[in-house]
Amino acid sequence: MALWLVAGLTMIRMIALFRTPLELYPDEAQYWLWSRALAFGYYSKPPVIAWAIWASTAFGGDAEPWVRLPAALFQAGAAFVVFAIGRRLYGPKVALVATALYALAPAIQLSATVVATDAPLLFFIGLTLSAYTALQEAAGRARLLLAATLGAALGLAFLSKYAAVYALIGIGLHLALSPAARRGWTAAPAALALGVFALVLAPNLAWNAAHGFATLQHTAADAHWAGRKLFNLAELGRFLGEQFAVFGPIPFAVLVVGAGLLAWRRRLEAPDVLLLCFTLPPIAIVAVQAFVSRANANWSGASYLPGAILVAAWLIRWRTRKLMIAAIGMQAAMAAAFLAAVISPRLIDNLGGSNALKRARGWDQTAQVVVRRARAEELGGLTAIAVNNRFLYYALAYYGRDYFREPTAAPLTIWLRGTTAGNQAEASAPLTAARGGRVLNVAYESWFNTEMAADFTNVEDPQIDDIFLDRKHQRRLDLFLGTGFTPKPRDPKTGYPSPEWKPGDNVKATRAEIVIPPAPPPAPERP
């Protein structure tokens, strides 16, 4: 039954990926761009997501469904791992319910259709937990094999997302609480697990060392404590409320109430303690982060997989058949609604939710506007195309990929408002004086367009284009030619352009609103 559930759900997700008119989010386009140049690390994330996209697009081509395919496959694998862990710890009934609760959870629906780092993270955390639970009862050569598997899975989890540290915390916490678990780890398997883990992680650590530990610094910067109002009850409440939405209303309520009651009554069984060690730290630590500063709902995503098994075990142990059916039914209804909206986004539009989809629309049309202007300027010679926003950079790199592959195409660059790079685009393709002879500049939503223009000696031929995303939303582009790129001094305190520099009237433009009809679907890239 679990096999049919996961296989059927994965097939439906794949149909949705190949049928949806929604375009890549800029972050998805960013991961695709990374996959064009394989490495052991990237500015903001470890490398597994880029490796996975490289494999899927090498097989099927660069179209959106093939870029997103790894998300669906990783989540299918994670669901099977949930079944394996649940069966080992509690038996087949718990395993089946846990598989259903996990595979149908709202957060997992999104993670299985939008390519990001959470899907591989959950899959490899699941493998780590599976190996750890199996190792408790193994002996001899099997114990060594499981120790090596644990080390490799944990290393790959870290190469997926550094939130894998929660799995490491879970192992340490369980070893501290369980004497039986400590007795299962003799010197040989412990050394083997640590050795394999270090071996898998070493190339990424070497890459970070060679690049000033860029990924680690970016991950730490996400905490964003500096300059924030500390001790924010509203942020904490928002984060906890979002957990009911992403994990599922009934499952998260069962998780919170069950953990509190069973701990208070001291009725936690050994498998409960094991799973709580992996479930509670992500939620508790991110809740503290939300209270101190801010936190995104998915930052506690490492808890979803062990949490689903724990909730299933308690629902069956308490014999709350109606509540269990209600939980699975509600999860299934939300999953069906989500997949229907992916296939037909007009359903969301009709409900007034088009704002949630605007970042997945209009990028192909945006690229057409920029490429059309670039081709018109080619006779005069272009030394670069410069944008002032990372979302625009990655979207143009993907949807303008045919143009940028042409040998005469101007290189795509990004203008730096500050003095240092703040993302992968700014680190790898900044606009420099060497490329600043005659530049087609594109300002996203008119952000900093006057500051951008002030860095050029001359500005000419400005235009303003509007790309209509739906009935309520549009994307504005300010395009102008700039010659003689000479960045003005930046303020030593803020790092941004000094306020005394004024560009004058060199960015005045007549408004030219245009609507570009959607392009016809591309011909298949491969038979």
Side-chain angles (χ1 to χ4, degrees), residues 379-423:
L379 291 178
L382 283 179
T383 57
I385 297 173
V387 300
N388 66 346
N389 176 270
R390 72 180 184 91
F391 283 175
L392 185 57
Y393 177 89
Y394 294 122
L396 289 182
Y398 179 78
Y399 286 102
R401 61 189 182 276
D402 291 337
Y403 169 76
F404 290 112
R405 286 169 179 165
E406 297 175 6
T408 59
L412 180 62
T413 64
I414 185 167
W415 169 78
L416 271 65
R417 184 176 182 235
T419 55
T420 58
N423 51 64

Side-chain angles (χ1 to χ4, degrees), residues 417-420 490-497:
R417 184 176 182 235
T419 55
T420 58
R490 269 38 177 174
D491 189 298
K493 292 183 179 179
T494 66
Y496 297 130

Side-chain angles (χ1 to χ4, degrees), residues 7-20:
L9 189 55
T10 302
M11 183 62 65
I12 295 172
R13 287 169 178 165
M14 292 176 67
I15 292 172
L17 291 182
F18 281 87
R19 291 287 300 273
T20 182

Side-chain angles (χ1 to χ4, degrees), residues 290-310:
F291 178 59
V292 173
S293 177
R294 65 174 183 87
N296 293 334
N298 69 316
W299 287 4
S300 61
S303 66
Y304 300 158
L305 189 145
I309 304 169
L310 202 54

Side-chain angles (χ1 to χ4, degrees), residues 445-497:
E445 299 289 357
S446 301
W447 293 349
F448 316 121
N449 56 347
T450 56
E451 293 180 5
M452 190 179 187
D455 279 345
F456 290 87
T457 303
N458 295 300
V459 172
E460 58 189 50
D461 296 335
Q463 74 180 67
I464 300 173
D465 294 330
D466 290 325
I467 291 85
F468 289 84
L469 311 178
D470 53 62
R471 289 175 293 182
K472 295 183 178 180
H473 300 94
Q474 60 191 47
R475 180 177 298 126
R476 173 170 167 166
L477 299 180
D478 290 58
L479 295 90
F480 60 90
L481 285 175
T483 56
F485 178 65
T486 308
K488 300 298 185 290
R490 269 38 177 174
D491 189 298
K493 292 183 179 179
T494 66
Y496 297 130

Side-chain angles (χ1 to χ4, degrees), residues 83 92-102 308 311-313 315-316 324 328:
F83 181 82
K93 291 183 179 180
V94 170
L96 177 60
V97 174
T99 304
L101 290 174
Y102 176 83
V311 168
L315 287 173
I316 289 181
M324 180 181 68
I328 296 175

Side-chain angles (χ1 to χ4, degrees), residues 200-476:
V200 173
L201 192 57
N204 179 250
L205 293 177
W207 183 93
N208 266 283
H211 293 81
F213 293 97
T215 316
L216 294 172
Q217 290 183 24
H218 176 84
T219 303
D222 277 344
H224 198 54
W225 286 17
R228 297 280 297 186
K229 179 184 176 182
L230 302 183
F231 312 121
N232 196 329
L233 283 173
E235 283 292 321
L236 174 60
R238 181 188 61 80
F239 167 74
L240 293 177
E242 288 174 342
Q243 298 312 297
F244 286 92
V246 297
F247 191 58
I250 295 177
F252 190 70
V254 170
L255 182 64
V256 173
V257 174
L261 284 178
L262 293 178
W264 180 58
R265 295 178 179 177
R266 298 184 180 180
R267 293 182 180 178
L268 290 171
E269 298 180 1
D272 299 349
V273 174
L274 168 61
L275 292 175
L276 280 172
C277 289
F278 283 81
T279 303
L280 292 184
I283 298 173
I285 292 172
V286 180
V288 171
Q289 162 66 25
F291 178 59
V292 173
S293 177
R294 65 174 183 87
N296 293 334
N298 69 316
W299 287 4
S300 61
S303 66
Y304 300 158
L305 189 145
I309 304 169
L310 202 54
V311 168
W314 291 344
L315 287 173
I316 289 181
R317 187 184 307 165
W318 299 340
R319 299 180 181 178
T320 53
R321 183 180 180 86
K322 291 182 179 179
L323 186 62
M324 180 181 68
I325 293 174
I328 296 175
M330 187 177 294
Q331 302 280 78
M334 290 188 290
F338 175 83
L339 291 169
V342 170
I343 295 173
S344 181
R346 287 186 178 181
L347 295 173
I348 297 293
D349 294 337
N350 294 335
L351 294 173
S354 57
N355 185 60
L357 302 177
K358 65 182 182 181
R359 285 188 179 177
R361 284 173 162 163
W363 294 115
D364 189 29
Q365 298 177 36
T366 301
Q368 288 182 46
V369 170
V370 176
V371 169
R372 181 183 300 171
R373 178 69 185 270
R375 292 193 186 281
E377 301 293 345
E378 283 179 349
L379 291 178
L382 283 179
T383 57
I385 297 173
V387 300
N388 66 346
N389 176 270
R390 72 180 184 91
F391 283 175
L392 185 57
Y393 177 89
Y394 294 122
L396 289 182
Y398 179 78
Y399 286 102
R401 61 189 182 276
D402 291 337
Y403 169 76
F404 290 112
R405 286 169 179 165
E406 297 175 6
T408 59
L412 180 62
T413 64
I414 185 167
W415 169 78
L416 271 65
R417 184 176 182 235
T419 55
T420 58
N423 51 64
Q424 178 84 32
E426 293 179 354
S428 60
L431 177 63
T432 61
R435 290 180 170 176
R438 188 169 184 267
V439 180
L440 173 59
N441 295 277
V442 187
Y444 178 80
E445 299 289 357
S446 301
W447 293 349
F448 316 121
N449 56 347
T450 56
E451 293 180 5
M452 190 179 187
D455 279 345
F456 290 87
T457 303
N458 295 300
V459 172
E460 58 189 50
D461 296 335
Q463 74 180 67
I464 300 173
D465 294 330
D466 290 325
I467 291 85
F468 289 84
L469 311 178
D470 53 62
R471 289 175 293 182
K472 295 183 178 180
H473 300 94
Q474 60 191 47
R475 180 177 298 126
R476 173 170 167 166

